[in-house]
Amino acid sequence: MEQLTRIEARLDSLGELSELTGALRSVAAARLREAQAALTGTRDYCAIVDRAIAEISPLAGAGRTERKAPAVLLAIGSEHGFVGGFNRRVVERALGERRPDERLVLVGRRAQIAAAERGIATGDDFPMTSREEGVTPLARRMARRLETAASARLVYAHASGGAGYEIALRQVLPLPKVAEDAAVRAQPPLHHLPPDELLDGLASEYLFAETAHALMESLAAENAARLQTMDAASRNIDKRLETLRRQARAARQEQTTADMLDVVTGAEAVNHG
């Protein structure tokens, strides 16, 4: 009886854990869809800013001031857990790509923990948003941090179909060179600001656009990883539940057999008494 009680208690606990896992899976799936839907907009905005820079760059002065601030390598992880090896992979890629002159900046508390476990100290880090609507304000703050950097690169995850993801590296500073064969309009673009001032404004917007797109990609990949982790956890819980149910049935049968033996033994004792 005591064994059956323990098994039933474990069944109750695993049942509650299964419900929690299902809820986390549903949230991850919903946020993955939100981020994927927003990616088209961030990708299109990057293309618009790239085109504007390509059109105004030939009009800007050649003697622009070089940036003197340190180079930055910015790695985007997750704020919350249940994502398997997501943050470990991001941090390992960042450490593998990091140049001696680059200052490492991490986005996401879990990525910061993963770096600390490897003895890597960072500073001026950012928390990672967990919702699509948090990407824009976070990207603005990050872009302002990058504006003074001599060079800047982003390490982030992007979903690669299904629940998979890959770790990407993208250079965002210095501004990309305008290709000689770029399809620039025959007529100069209409503008009301001096070309150098306009290009400076576009450079800031370029940093925002690229950072926002990387954040959205990472948010989608994070939830893809969480979905994958919850699927694996659900399968494991289901297997353990089935094992415990078999054990419970066997324990009940043993208890029934023991009760019947007690009855038979008692009856025999009465008959022989």
Side-chain angles (χ1 to χ4, degrees), residues 14-94:
L14 276 178
E16 293 175 359
L17 185 58
S18 179
E19 292 178 1
L20 175 60
T21 302
L24 289 173
R25 188 189 184 285
S26 297
V27 171
R31 292 184 177 175
L32 173 59
R33 289 193 297 270
E34 290 175 358
Q36 287 175 331
L39 278 172
T40 300
T42 59
R43 190 178 296 112
D44 289 348
Y45 190 59
C46 286
I48 291 170
V49 176
D50 286 348
R51 175 69 182 185
I53 290 175
E55 291 188 353
I56 203 66
S57 289
L59 306 180
R64 295 173 57 78
T65 304
E66 292 292 330
R67 299 169 186 261
K68 300 297 184 182
V72 174
L73 179 64
L74 194 149
I76 304 173
S78 74
E79 189 69 13
H80 305 293
F82 299 111
V83 290
F86 180 85
N87 291 288
R88 174 185 55 78
R89 289 181 59 186
V90 169
V91 170
E92 287 178 353
R93 178 68 186 273

Side-chain angles (χ1 to χ4, degrees), residues 44-273:
D44 289 348
Y45 190 59
C46 286
I48 291 170
V49 176
D50 286 348
R51 175 69 182 185
I53 290 175
E55 291 188 353
I56 203 66
S57 289
L59 306 180
R64 295 173 57 78
T65 304
E66 292 292 330
R67 299 169 186 261
K68 300 297 184 182
V72 174
L73 179 64
L74 194 149
I76 304 173
S78 74
E79 189 69 13
H80 305 293
F82 299 111
V83 290
F86 180 85
N87 291 288
R88 174 185 55 78
R89 289 181 59 186
V90 169
V91 170
E92 287 178 353
R93 178 68 186 273
L95 295 178
E97 297 286 350
R98 186 183 185 185
R99 297 192 297 253
D101 64 325
E102 285 182 317
R103 179 165 57 92
L104 180 62
V105 177
L106 296 172
V107 181
R109 186 169 60 90
R110 295 288 177 164
Q112 294 156 20
I113 291 173
E117 289 173 348
R118 289 161 175 76
I120 305 300
T122 60
D124 301 325
D125 296 325
F126 294 90
M128 176 59 178
T129 181
S130 58
R131 299 296 300 270
E132 172 266 337
E133 57 264 30
V135 166
T136 296
L138 177 57
R140 288 291 182 196
R141 294 198 302 273
M142 290 167 60
R144 284 195 294 270
R145 179 76 57 81
L146 296 177
E147 281 180 353
T148 58
S151 74
R153 299 191 296 165
L154 305 178
V155 175
Y156 60 96
H158 67 91
S160 58
Y165 62 92
E166 297 176 356
I167 309 300
L169 174 69
R170 182 168 177 79
Q171 180 101 28
V172 293
L173 280 178
L175 291 179
K177 299 291 185 182
V178 180
E180 293 181 1
D181 60 347
V184 180
R185 296 187 308 184
Q187 294 296 324
L190 178 64
H191 58 90
H192 300 285
L193 294 174
D196 285 352
E197 184 178 343
L198 180 56
L199 186 57
D200 284 340
L202 286 172
S204 297
E205 203 61 21
Y206 168 82
L207 283 175
F208 162 73
E210 291 290 340
T211 304
H213 184 64
L215 285 170
M216 199 68 74
E217 287 273 20
S218 183
L219 188 59
E222 172 193 334
N223 282 288
R226 185 169 289 114
L227 190 61
Q228 190 177 50
T229 301
M230 291 301 102
D231 282 342
S234 294
R235 289 192 297 270
N236 186 44
I237 290 171
D238 288 344
K239 290 179 181 178
R240 294 180 65 184
L241 281 171
E242 183 56 34
T243 299
L244 285 173
R245 290 186 185 110
R246 287 198 300 268
Q247 292 175 356
R249 287 194 294 269
R252 290 190 189 97
Q253 185 61 48
E254 289 177 4
Q255 184 63 44
T256 300
T257 302
D259 291 343
M260 292 177 66
L261 287 174
D262 287 343
V263 171
V264 171
T265 302
E268 289 179 348
V270 170
N271 291 335
H272 288 85

